[in-house]
Amino acid sequence: MTTVLGSLLIILTLGAIVFYLACLGCTLYFFTQPDRALKSDDPPVSIMVPVCGLDTGAWENWSSLCQQDYPNYEVLFGVVDPKDPAVVVLEKLVATFPARSRLKVGLEPRGINHKDSTLSYLLEEAKNEVIIFVDSDIRVNKDYIRTVTAPLADPEVGMVTCAFVGHNPESLGGAIASYGRCIDFIPSLLLARILDGGLRCAVGATIATRKSTLTDYDGLHLNRIGSDYNIGKRAAAAGYRVELSRYILNSDTGKESLRDVFQRELRWARTIRFNRGAQYYTMIFCYGTIFSLPLLFLPGFHAQGIIICAIAWLIRYLQVLIALLLLNCPKLLRWLWIVPLRDFLSVLVWAMGAFGNSVYWRGRRLRVQGDGIISPWDRRGDEVTG
């Protein structure tokens, strides 16, 4: 039994070492390629921001969207609950930038996914063909619109999306979240882009597209979890190219707790499982640092364990440092000591994401079914239909 367990751990660790090296290579390749010359005539753009609650740095995030170095654009904010604390701040924002921004409040949900429901209202109000969906906790530079819309000048590009990190977390939970995005999510996304022959998902932090193109891949789905992931998959299936921008967004992670991070990442994990199917389980080869540790204590594997464990951790830290450097996250270096904790949390999230069909999202417990369809969940675990 010990021999079988030890051999299994060695296989998993060696597989993860290959994974770390592949992530390192994909990250280097993506961020060191010369920029493509993209010509755009700066078409009018509509930015849509669904808002629920008042995130840390909300004013700075939202005002950054209203101060773009771009000739013709509008920013539409939408809120479901008229009593949401964000409304007061948004009203002040609209008064400050009346020529750029508009606010819609009391948008009765049209489906279980309140975010996409709000976007559906804003989409009806948008004046322009080129549109950008933006998460409310994102802060951008003045060249944001021009950067993310430029690839749409190519008619074969149906969507542009951006990854995001928290560059300067203020808490352990925030640092854990930032490291997950920087050293795991983005490198894995780049690897999947190579293996799939192109990006087949999108990241909800930013999705730039056209109204007409959105219709071609069946628009917004109001009863689906991970709709951003799914809409990218549908765009690729419709024959469009989904571009990942090298523009890395700044997401203010604030002082979120480890519990908040865990619940969000478990929701993401189950979303990926419902969207990727059996491919989800191949992610077991992504956690070599954790799987290598028991080898140090298994009888008969001590010598091999020391060598394999050392190689796994050295390559992992090399991959981490390359990611932090290329994603321009120097302030995350002071949190290097949390990598073991980050990796332990990642394997725990993956294991729990491998089963179960419930998620927590904005204070609501939801049931997830085939292909990411969601419905409410009552205290007995039964579906609520009314």
Side-chain angles (χ1 to χ4, degrees), residues 27-78:
T27 306
L28 274 171
Y29 177 79
F30 183 76
F31 286 101
T32 57
Q33 288 294 297
D35 288 322
R36 287 194 304 153
L38 297 170
K39 294 182 179 180
S40 173
D41 57 358
D42 291 346
V45 173
S46 295
I47 299 176
M48 282 155 273
V49 189
V51 177
C52 179
L54 199 58
D55 295 312
T56 303
W59 176 268
E60 291 78 9
N61 296 342
W62 300 334
S63 61
S64 71
L65 293 169
C66 299
Q67 300 178 77
Q68 289 291 294
D69 180 16
Y70 197 82
N72 188 356
Y73 73 98
E74 62 177 354
V75 186
L76 290 78
F77 297 93

Side-chain angles (χ1 to χ4, degrees), residues 165-181 251-258 260-261 264-265 332 335 338 342:
V165 299
H167 287 85
N168 189 24
E170 302 175 15
S171 66
L172 178 60
I176 289 285
S178 294
Y179 261 74
R181 295 161 189 166
S251 175
D252 193 338
T253 54
K255 297 181 179 179
E256 61 185 342
S257 67
L258 282 172
D260 293 335
V261 175
R264 180 178 62 245
E265 293 191 0
L332 287 181
W335 293 96
I338 69 169
R342 172 66 264 180

